[in-house]
């Protein structure tokens, strides 16, 4: 207990011995630490909220709030953005639980879930059915990533017993686009087809789509479908030709760039491609074989001696007549042969995109090109690009001096920018070095000053402890530190000077008035103790 009291006593003495400024600084630090710990505790124990639903429809937000109240869940509402916040650890569960209650401001076929709808009339049923169709289409369109909100209005045709008196349905779609988003023609066409496919007797031509900028997106979207298809086909063919030309140019440059340098050779390839689909059929007959033969011979009397034949072109039939005038007998021979042939029929269909003709132009950064060098370039280009002379492909090789003014100016500008960048980096480096040196010097000076003050303070504290131990008996580990004896120089009373004269007068005064001298000595001792 005595040790603890001693420690507190020393702390109290240290506090009382500290200057007023240090006491204020220490008090501020302690108060700041306590405030930080308190704020951290309050923040850690405070409920964190997360976004349950944002940008909600008014009806949906009211429904969700009623459900939260009935489930006794804490929540916050931002009315400016219709955003509902709930405790962060319950966001996922509540979002899945309330997902079916969020309709996005649209009512679908759940309008028929109420059993009270059973007694409705046909007209009421048609109205509710139309509302359900509109709501379902709105929900589907809102699911597109570019669309923020959508409204669908349908004009249903009146039912008639006569087919001729029937009228088609019509629909209009209003789209609120997200910031920076636009729809392409194909996307608008998809929305039109979606609405037309969801409503009976609704033609895509009777669907109008308008965005929030009052732009009719569905204008001429159906009338120009053929032209759009032709344009799309032409663009696709142009892309194929461009890719083929780029591939050939890259092949030729890969061959010539290592020789002349990449910037000293320019290659341009033009590919004339055929996108027509052709089909050819060829039949080949070979190795005819006789499978049957029939020969008929007939004779008759009279006539002249003659021989005649009528061979068939395909060698299937052969007729021969022999007349003998001497005997008056005529002989006729008719031969019929049937052949079996090997027939091979081949159909060849050429795929679209064949190259009709290639034209390659090569320009080298040289004033004069020799004939041998030009022939070498022709051979290299022919092999790299697959030039076919029979197809009509051609190669043009020319040598001209390139104008490098723009490149030179650009290089000068780049060099100047690099020099400025290097100068800025040097200035920044020098500044950092100066700041570092100043900081190091300040740190060294501060360290020296701190050490000097610390030594002075330690010396002062040691002297103060020595003064305290002289007036109060301090027991530490049951050992007593003896007081150092102070030795004074002897006084020479016989020497006559000013000092000796003063001492003699003090002695006389002390002997005549000892009480007053004792009071003075006590006053001196009390001042030394302070």
């Amino acid at each position: 207990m005595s040790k603890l009291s001693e420690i507190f006593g020393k702390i109290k003495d240290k506090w009382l011995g500290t200057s007023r400024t240090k006491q204020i600084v220490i008090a501020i630090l302690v108060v700041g630490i306590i405030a930080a710990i308190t704020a951290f505790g309050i923040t850690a124990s405070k409920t964190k909220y997360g976004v349950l639903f944002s940008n909600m429809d008014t009806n949906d937000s009211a429904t969700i709030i009623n459900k939260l109240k009935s489930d006794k869940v804490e929540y916050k509402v931002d009315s400016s953005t219709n955003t509902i916040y709930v405790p962060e650890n319950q966001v996922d569960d509540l979002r899945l639980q309330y997902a079916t209650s969020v309709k996005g401001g649209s009512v679908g076929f759940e309008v028929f879930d109420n059993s009270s709808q059973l007694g409705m009339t046909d007209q009421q049923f048609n109205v509710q059915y139309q509302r359900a169709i509109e709501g379902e289409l709105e929900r589907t369109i809102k699911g597109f990533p570019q669309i923020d909100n959508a409204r669908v209005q349908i004009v249903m045709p009146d039912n008639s017993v006569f087919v001729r008196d029937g009228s088609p349905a019509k629909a209009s779609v209003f789209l609120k686009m997200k910031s920076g988003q636009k729809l392409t023609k194909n996307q608008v066409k998809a929305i039109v087809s979606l609405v037309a496919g969801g409503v009976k007797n609704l033609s895509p031509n009777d669907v109008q789509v308008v965005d929030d900028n009052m732009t009719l997106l569905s204008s001429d979207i159906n009338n120009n479908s053929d032209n759009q298809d032709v344009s799309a086909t032409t663009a696709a063919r142009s892309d194929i030709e461009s890719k083929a030309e780029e591939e050939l140019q890259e092949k030729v440059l890969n061959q010539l760039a290592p020789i002349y340098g990449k910037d000293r050779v320019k290659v341009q390839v033009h590919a004339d491609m055929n996108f027509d689909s052709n089909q050819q059929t060829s039949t080949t007959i070979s190795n005819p074989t006789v499978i049957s033969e029939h020969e008929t011979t007939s004779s008759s009397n009279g006539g002249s001696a003659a021989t005649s034949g009528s061979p068939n072109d395909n060698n299937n039939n052969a007729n021969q007549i022999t007349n003998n005038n001497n005997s008056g007998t005529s002989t006729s021979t008719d031969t019929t042969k049937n052949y079996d042939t090997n027939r091979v029929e081949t159909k060849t269909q050429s795929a679209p995109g064949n190259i009709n003709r290639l034209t390659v132009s090569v320009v080298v950064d040289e004033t004069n090109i020799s004939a041998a060098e030009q022939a070498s370039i022709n051979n290299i280009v022919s092999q790299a690009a697959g030039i076919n002379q029979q197809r009509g492909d051609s190669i043009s090789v020319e040598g001209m001096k390139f104008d490098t003014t723009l490149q030179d100016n650009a290089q000068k500008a780049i060099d100047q920018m690099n020099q400025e960048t290097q100068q800025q980096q040097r200035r920044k480096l020098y500044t950092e070095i100066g700041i570092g040196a100043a900081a190091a010097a300040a740190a060294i000076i501060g360290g020296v000053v701190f050490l000097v003050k610390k030594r002075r303070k330690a010396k002062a504290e040691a002297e103060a402890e020595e003064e305290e131990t002289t007036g109060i008996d301090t027991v530490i580990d049951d050992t007593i530190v003896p007081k150092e004896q102070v030795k004074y120089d002897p006084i020479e009373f016989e020497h006559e000077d000013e000092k000796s004269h003063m001492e003699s007068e003090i002695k006389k005064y002390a002997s005549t008035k000892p009480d007053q001298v004792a009071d003075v000595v006590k006053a001196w001792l009390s001042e030394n103790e302070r």
Side-chain angles (χ1 to χ4, degrees), residues 21 41 77 89 104 111 124 144 156 179 220 242 315 354 372 380 402 430 434 522:
T21 304
V77 179
N89 56 352
V111 72
Q124 291 175 343
F144 296 160
M156 301 296 290
S179 179
D220 299 332
S242 299
N315 294 325
N354 292 329
I380 293 172
F402 290 176
Y430 295 155
K522 290 179 180 180

Side-chain angles (χ1 to χ4, degrees), residues 313-331:
D313 292 338
N314 56 6
N315 294 325
N316 285 334
N317 297 319
N319 298 326
Q320 185 175 2
I321 300 172
T322 304
N323 294 326
N324 191 349
N325 293 328
N326 296 328
S327 61
T329 302
S330 174
T331 303

Side-chain angles (χ1 to χ4, degrees), residues 38-249:
T38 305
F40 177 76
I42 294 173
T43 305
S45 60
K46 189 177 180 181
T47 304
K48 295 182 179 179
Y49 287 86
V51 177
L52 180 62
F53 296 108
S54 61
N55 297 324
M56 299 186 66
D57 184 76
T58 306
N59 297 328
D60 291 339
S61 60
T63 303
I64 297 299
I65 290 174
N66 291 332
K67 287 184 174 294
L68 291 173
K69 288 181 179 179
S70 62
D71 295 340
K72 297 181 179 179
V73 179
E74 296 181 1
Y75 67 91
K76 291 182 179 180
V77 179
D78 186 1
S79 58
S80 61
T81 58
N82 285 338
T83 303
I84 299 177
Y85 299 90
V86 295
E88 193 173 15
N89 56 352
Q90 301 180 12
V91 170
D92 296 334
D93 296 337
L94 293 175
R95 188 174 294 170
L96 292 174
Q97 184 178 352
Y98 298 154
T100 56
S101 301
V102 179
K103 308 301 180 184
S106 302
V107 180
F109 282 106
E110 65 273 6
V111 72
F112 295 106
D113 294 341
N114 193 352
S115 59
S116 62
Q117 305 289 341
L118 296 176
M120 68 176 64
T121 62
D122 291 342
Q123 186 175 4
Q124 291 175 343
F125 177 82
N126 292 333
V127 172
Q128 295 286 50
Y129 181 76
Q130 181 177 343
R131 288 183 59 197
I133 291 292
E134 292 175 352
E136 294 295 336
L137 290 173
E138 289 173 2
R139 290 180 188 175
T140 305
I141 296 173
K142 289 177 185 177
F144 296 160
Q146 298 88 354
I147 298 173
D148 186 21
N149 199 355
R151 292 289 295 173
V152 178
Q153 294 180 349
I154 302 173
V155 179
M156 301 296 290
D158 295 333
N159 294 328
S160 177
V161 295
F162 300 102
V163 178
R164 295 181 179 179
D165 295 338
S167 59
K170 294 184 179 181
S172 61
V173 181
F174 171 77
L175 302 177
K176 182 180 180 182
M177 307 302 299
K178 292 182 180 179
S179 179
Q181 296 291 335
K182 287 185 178 180
L183 294 177
T184 62
K185 286 290 185 182
N186 290 331
Q187 291 172 339
V188 176
K189 191 174 181 180
I191 293 175
V192 170
S193 300
L194 175 66
V195 175
V199 181
K200 183 179 180 181
N201 295 330
L202 179 59
S203 172
N205 295 326
D206 294 326
V207 179
Q208 305 297 328
V209 182
V210 182
D211 63 0
D212 51 350
N213 293 324
M214 301 303 294
T215 303
L216 183 60
L217 302 178
S218 59
S219 60
D220 299 332
I221 195 170
N222 295 314
N223 296 331
N224 295 333
S225 58
D226 296 337
N227 295 333
Q228 289 178 358
D229 294 339
V230 172
S231 301
T233 304
T234 304
R237 293 180 178 180
S238 178
D239 291 339
I240 294 173
E241 289 181 349
S242 299
K243 290 180 180 179
E245 292 171 354
E246 290 176 358
E247 291 178 358
L248 293 175
Q249 290 176 9

Side-chain angles (χ1 to χ4, degrees), residues 442-458:
I444 293 172
I445 295 172
V448 172
V449 172
F450 176 74
L451 292 175
V452 171
K453 288 184 177 180
K454 186 175 181 181
R455 289 180 181 177
R456 289 180 180 177
K457 183 178 180 181

Side-chain angles (χ1 to χ4, degrees), residues 22-37:
K22 291 183 178 180
Q23 291 179 355
I24 294 173
V25 172
I26 293 172
I28 292 173
L29 289 175
V30 172
V31 172
I33 293 172
I34 294 173
I37 294 173

Side-chain angles (χ1 to χ4, degrees), residues 242-310:
S242 299
K243 290 180 180 179
E245 292 171 354
E246 290 176 358
E247 291 178 358
L248 293 175
Q249 290 176 9
E250 186 176 359
K251 290 180 180 179
V252 175
L253 281 175
N254 290 336
Q255 295 293 325
L256 297 178
I259 301 173
Y260 296 98
K262 185 176 180 180
D263 296 333
R264 298 186 67 244
V265 177
K266 301 296 181 183
V267 178
Q268 187 67 39
V269 178
H270 174 69
D272 182 12
M273 304 182 71
N274 182 14
F275 293 95
D276 296 335
S277 179
N278 298 324
Q279 182 175 357
Q280 295 179 353
T281 303
S282 61
T283 303
T284 303
I285 299 175
S286 61
N287 299 326
T289 304
V290 177
I291 58 175
S292 65
E293 182 177 358
H294 178 70
E295 183 175 353
T296 303
T297 304
S298 61
S299 300
S300 60
N301 295 325
S304 59
T307 301
S308 64
S310 58

